[in-house]
Amino acid sequence: MRLSTVFAAASVMALAAGGQALAGPTFDAVREKGFVQCGVNGSGLPGFASVDDKGEWSGLDIDLCKAVAAAVFGDASKVKYTPLTAKERFTALQSGEIDMLSRNTTWTLTRDTALGLDFVGVNYYDGQGFMVPKSLGVKSALELDGASVCVQTGTTTELNLADFFRANNMSYEPVVFETNDELIGAFQAGRCDVFTTDQSGLYSSRTKFENPDDFVVLPEVISKEPLGPVVRHGDNEWGDVVRWSLYAMIEAEEYGVTSENVDELKANSTNPTVRRLLGVEGEFGKALGLPADWAYQIIKQIGNYGESFERNLGENTPLKIKRGLNDLWTRGGLQYAMPFR
Amino acid sequence: MAAAAPRPGGGRRTVFWNDPRVRAIFAQTVVLLLVIAGVAYLVNNTIANRERLGVASGFDFLRQVAGFDISQTLIDYDRTFSYGRAFVVGLINTFYVAVVGIVLATVIGFLMGVARLSSNWLVAKVADAYVEIVRNIPLLLQLIVWYFVVLAGLPAPRESIALGEGAFLNIRGLFLPKPVFGEGTAIFLAAVGLAVIAVIVLGRWARRRFEATGQPFPVFWTALAILLAVPALGYLLAGMPISFEYPKLGKFRISGGLVMLPEFMAMVAGLSIYTGAFIAEIVRAGILAIPKGQWEAAQALGLSRGQTLRLIIIPQALRVIIPPQTSQYLNLTKNSSLGVAIAYPDFFNVAGTINNQTGQAVEVIAITMAVYLSLSLTISAFMNWYNARMALVER
Ligand SMILES: N[C@@H](CCC(=O)N[C@@H](CS)C(=O)NCC(=O)O)C(=O)O
């Protein structure tokens, strides 16, 4: 094991040179290879993760991958993406194929424990909904007895669906697809009456439809779907980096730090929280094993949480999603960063 | 050099490390140890990694509630059943599609194989085209075309295509009347059983008589008459116990009756047409392998072309056909795992869902491999038995 000795020596030297804290296996490996391998949505979920014709990825989930790269390397472009289906995602993370998963993934007890994973935050609070063709004339999910329902495998969605119909004493025919694109194809062809997934997924998928206006989302939200980034269980140092990268974006929004004013605030702000966030005061970078300006780099290159939300999902996008639960706690939402102290 | 010549008088024994036998044993031991060490390392590594991550392990999850539904269940199943049960549902679905696929592929393959040898130019060319086109397009693509193009073009439930009394076809599937077995069904079934036994006895008697006296007996028509008349009589005597439940158009879908899901139909169409092309080639090769003399001899005996094929050529060709046929059946069964692409809940599909919901990849993959291995071995065993039987018939 000559090689690991070399690595160990290298990290000891790095420790001596940069005064960095000892980091866990993934963190070390990421620094070593020089980029973050981020698992993202494979079919493309516009607004969350999709790739354009130049091969550039964008979306709320993508911004989180970039934020981590900005924090670690000071360069948001140091990310490589692995597109994954719902079914593949956990194995990819467990096996070490990816460093982190940022793919509209619901935080559940089983996944957080028995699957050997750790959720480190919530970047989008969601809930499961139903979409039907307008022509069906259905107004409520409770009228769906006997319907045939298109659903994606390997999701919380298929479990909630089974629970919901059973709890309401209704029958249904599940038609279970492996990818969202196949599902959308079958749904539009009329194979099923109902398409169910996270509401964000419904709105996002609808932008891909041929006739989006022919479909409505029913009012019922049948589950809690807190979607967030995931790392391997026991990978605490790396988990901290991902968690605090997300918090930095939320904290920045709360304190009015944006990609536009961040330079000015870094130079002139007297607000102690802002000064700590931007690395002017305190040694938070060192505690995380990151450069002092880690959060500055995130905000400068990606923007705060609100900016990312507006850019990817907001009024000026085809999705037009309201902040709702994803507004800051100070405005009645659930987004809340732990204190930068 | 002539060093190989034995030394007179037995000669000096070589040093033991030069003895090829010792060397061979030594080399094999080293390889074996390396393999064992490699496997042990992998197993150890896996266990350690899974422990470090806190991944659940063991097979206890098989008894936990599955929590998801499956579209096609030939045995009782809903979300409250266990993961173990879900595996069985998937296995039965694989079996179902494989058996139907194998039967259809064999029929298609034999017809097309014989057609390729037909003296009718058009028939032969159509069969040629079928084989060449179908064989050269990946199966996955064909399944996707069947499901997302052909079947997706079927009408909505309200505009169903009616297929006679109480049967119709639409994008939700093929709906057929379902027989409901009332009181007295036993009498009817007994009549059916009686007819079958009678036909078997008749067949044996006819063959023995033919071998003894050379007199042919119209077995086919007599058997048909028995098979129709006896059960019909039993059915009337029992007071017509079987009625039919007709599918009804509800608000969303059609309820009642028998359903064949579009996913299933696409699988059967894709698998049997694809495999049929390979079987056609095997059948053609099998027939061509029979020496021309056999045809000429049959002709000389005054047999017609059909008789020659049925009585002389095919029985001999089967010996050539069966072994490669077996691998086509195995291929079809294994290819049914492509069902996952078109929402058919076969074993592989259900196993994938279970893997994802429990995170126990190692256990699920082990079960999956064991199941496909057993399926393959079962089919092989059956085909070997059939092959042995066929080999005996030929003298
Ligand atoms: N949040 C749910 C569902 C996530 C999910 O996979 N959603 C689907 C439907 S929006 C999706 O992203 N599909 C894209 C793909 O897998 O190709 C979960 O974590 O299980």
Side-chain angles (χ1 to χ4, degrees):
Chain A
M1 300 295 111
R2 191 79 49 78
L3 212 56
S4 60
T5 324
V6 174
F7 282 153
S11 50
V12 169
M13 265 148 64
L15 196 76
Q20 284 166 324
L22 255 180
T26 304
F27 198 0
D28 281 340
V30 167
R31 275 203 287 240
E32 194 68 34
K33 66 187 173 189
F35 60 88
V36 178
Q37 190 79 45
C38 201
V40 298
N41 198 304
S43 294
L45 205 55
F48 287 86
S50 59
V51 65
D52 67 15
D53 45 19
K54 289 188 215 70
E56 296 288 341
W57 287 84
S58 64
L60 192 78
D61 286 342
I62 298 299
D63 280 354
L64 194 56
C65 304
K66 290 184 177 167
V68 172
V72 177
F73 303 110
D75 182 351
S77 69
K78 298 234 154 108
V79 188
K80 288 193 180 164
Y81 300 97
T82 305
L84 298 167
T85 67
K87 198 165 156 180
E88 293 159 353
R89 58 187 155 171
F90 301 124
T91 320
L93 187 57
Q94 286 167 336
S95 67
E97 193 185 327
I98 55 177
D99 302 316
M100 62 180 282
L101 179 70
S102 181
R103 186 205 173 283
N104 53 324
T105 298
T106 305
W107 187 341
T108 69
L109 190 147
T110 309
R111 291 174 178 177
D112 208 2
T113 56
L115 261 63
L117 309 174
D118 275 344
F119 283 79
V120 292
V122 176
N123 67 339
Y124 191 93
Y125 287 94
D126 207 344
Q128 183 174 338
F130 296 102
M131 179 152 62
V132 294
K134 276 188 186 149
S135 59
L136 209 58
V138 169
K139 293 277 168 301
S140 153
L142 294 169
E143 297 167 32
L144 294 177
D145 192 10
S148 104
V149 184
C150 280
V151 59
Q152 200 178 332
T153 184
T155 56
T156 48
T157 317
E158 61 178 331
L159 306 179
N160 298 330
L161 173 70
D163 285 353
F164 176 78
F165 273 81
R166 195 176 166 76
N168 290 295
N169 246 322
M170 302 192 297
S171 70
Y172 71 107
E173 176 196 22
V175 189
V176 187
F177 291 90
E178 187 163 48
T179 73
N180 205 29
D181 283 344
E182 288 165 1
L183 190 158
I184 291 174
F187 178 57
Q188 284 181 281
R191 173 63 186 90
C192 6
D193 308 295
V194 188
F195 169 13
T196 182
T197 184
D198 303 338
Q199 285 212 322
S200 63
L202 291 179
Y203 288 116
S204 170
S205 300
R206 191 164 59 176
T207 63
K208 294 190 187 175
F209 284 16
E210 277 156 35
N211 303 309
D213 296 334
D214 294 351
F215 298 88
V216 281
V217 175
L218 299 178
E220 283 88 355
V221 175
I222 64 162
S223 68
K224 293 186 284 189
E225 307 288 334
L227 313 179
V230 199
V231 299
R232 279 179 285 279
H233 178 82
D235 210 351
N236 297 6
E237 294 81 2
W238 179 241
D240 288 341
V241 170
V242 178
R243 175 184 298 113
W244 287 94
S245 296
L246 173 60
Y247 284 161
M249 293 176 75
I250 300 171
E251 186 83 342
E253 183 181 12
E254 187 175 339
Y255 285 87
V257 187
T258 66
S259 53
E260 253 129 61
N261 66 16
V262 65
D263 283 316
E264 199 244 297
L265 287 177
K266 192 178 181 196
N268 304 325
S269 179
T270 52
N271 181 321
T273 306
V274 173
R275 289 169 68 83
R276 279 197 297 271
L277 176 66
L278 298 181
V280 185
E281 259 175 41
E283 301 227 288
F284 294 149
K286 196 168 158 196
L288 283 165
L290 294 172
D293 67 347
W294 65 281
Y296 163 83
Q297 295 293 355
I298 295 177
I299 301 160
K300 176 82 188 158
Q301 299 182 37
I302 293 113
N304 67 32
Y305 181 78
E307 289 180 275
S308 169
F309 194 101
E310 287 312 319
R311 181 170 61 237
N312 295 308
L313 308 168
E315 282 309 317
N316 296 324
T317 69
L319 282 114
K320 300 195 188 357
I321 297 180
K322 302 232 159 36
R323 286 295 289 270
L325 289 178
N326 293 296
D327 215 335
L328 292 180
W329 67 289
T330 48
R331 293 194 291 254
L334 292 175
Q335 288 296 357
Y336 181 112
M338 302 307 143
F340 276 65
R341 266 255 159 253
Chain B
M1 286 217 286
R7 287 166 199 273
R12 184 164 52 92
R13 285 188 56 204
T14 45
V15 243
F16 76 91
W17 59 81
N18 277 339
D19 181 342
R21 286 221 343 262
V22 174
R23 284 190 166 201
I25 291 174
F26 178 73
Q28 288 181 30
T29 317
V30 168
V31 170
L32 189 67
L33 283 179
L34 281 177
V35 169
I36 291 177
V39 170
Y41 172 76
L42 285 179
V43 169
N44 218 353
N45 212 10
T46 310
I47 292 175
N49 273 331
R50 279 157 47 105
E51 242 159 45
R52 188 169 47 74
L53 290 176
V55 177
S57 58
F59 287 90
D60 288 346
F61 73 96
L62 288 176
R63 256 173 276 128
Q64 285 166 25
V65 171
F68 60 89
D69 283 298
I70 300 177
S71 57
Q72 175 183 294
T73 54
L74 300 183
I75 55 172
D76 244 5
Y77 175 85
D78 66 46
R79 69 166 291 289
T80 57
F81 283 72
S82 66
Y83 283 121
R85 182 80 168 193
F87 268 126
V88 176
V89 170
L91 178 60
I92 292 176
N93 286 342
T94 289
F95 208 73
Y96 180 35
V97 81
V99 168
V100 176
I102 284 175
V103 170
L104 279 180
T106 310
V107 173
I108 296 174
F110 265 86
L111 290 179
M112 288 295 164
V114 173
R116 282 198 82 174
L117 297 172
S118 167
S119 45
N120 181 322
W121 186 85
L122 189 65
V123 170
K125 285 301 158 207
V126 167
D128 277 358
Y130 157 74
V131 169
E132 287 313 331
I133 293 171
V134 168
R135 246 185 357 166
N136 291 308
I137 297 175
L139 174 58
L140 182 59
L141 207 67
Q142 296 190 31
L143 287 174
I144 286 176
V145 168
W146 278 109
Y147 186 65
F148 286 102
V149 181
V150 180
L151 291 180
L154 290 173
R158 265 154 238 284
E159 287 104 48
S160 300
I161 305 169
L163 305 165
E165 183 73 26
F168 33 97
L169 181 66
N170 60 43
I171 192 162
R172 302 291 159 78
L174 174 64
F175 297 79
L176 301 167
K178 179 175 162 185
V180 181
F181 300 102
E183 227 176 303
T185 305
I187 300 180
F188 169 67
L189 288 181
V192 173
L194 206 68
V196 170
I197 294 174
V199 166
I200 294 175
V201 171
L202 175 80
R204 293 230 172 129
W205 168 80
R207 181 156 4 107
R208 228 171 291 133
R209 194 180 81 135
F210 179 72
E211 273 162 16
T213 69
Q215 294 211 354
F217 184 84
V219 179
F220 180 77
W221 297 110
T222 326
L224 196 70
I226 295 177
L227 279 178
L228 285 178
V230 177
L233 209 67
Y235 186 67
L236 288 177
L237 275 178
M240 302 207 248
I242 301 174
S243 55
F244 284 93
E245 177 194 299
Y246 291 100
K248 275 190 304 290
L249 186 64
K251 179 167 167 61
F252 290 114
R253 63 168 167 190
I254 290 154
S255 55
L258 271 180
V259 198
M260 232 180 243
L261 294 179
E263 291 79 31
F264 175 76
M265 293 193 287
M267 284 299 284
V268 168
L271 287 174
S272 57
I273 290 178
Y274 180 75
T275 313
F278 291 90
I279 293 181
E281 278 303 87
I282 294 171
V283 168
R284 188 176 71 113
I287 293 175
L288 288 180
I290 306 305
K292 242 186 147 170
Q294 296 283 324
W295 287 93
E296 289 161 0
Q299 218 167 19
L301 288 175
L303 296 184
S304 73
R305 195 181 149 83
Q307 276 175 323
T308 312
L309 258 181
R310 198 157 49 82
L311 300 172
I312 311 288
I313 305 300
I314 302 258
Q316 296 184 74
L318 274 181
R319 283 184 314 135
V320 185
I321 291 173
I322 291 170
Q325 188 91 326
T326 308
S327 39
Q328 289 308 321
Y329 291 171
L330 295 178
N331 281 346
L332 188 145
T333 308
K334 287 179 282 183
N335 284 340
S336 71
S337 61
L338 290 173
V340 72
I342 57 167
Y344 180 72
D346 73 305
F347 185 82
F348 189 67
N349 191 348
V350 173
T353 303
I354 295 175
N355 176 9
N356 183 275
Q357 301 292 6
T358 61
Q360 294 191 243
V362 174
E363 288 84 354
V364 172
I365 289 170
I367 292 176
T368 308
M369 293 199 314
V371 162
Y372 279 100
L373 187 64
S374 321
L375 267 179
S376 295
L377 290 179
T378 310
I379 294 173
S380 293
F382 175 79
M383 292 303 284
N384 286 344
W385 165 81
Y386 187 64
N387 196 21
R389 250 191 71 134
M390 279 301 143
L392 273 186
V393 168
E394 192 252 348
R395 263 158 278 187

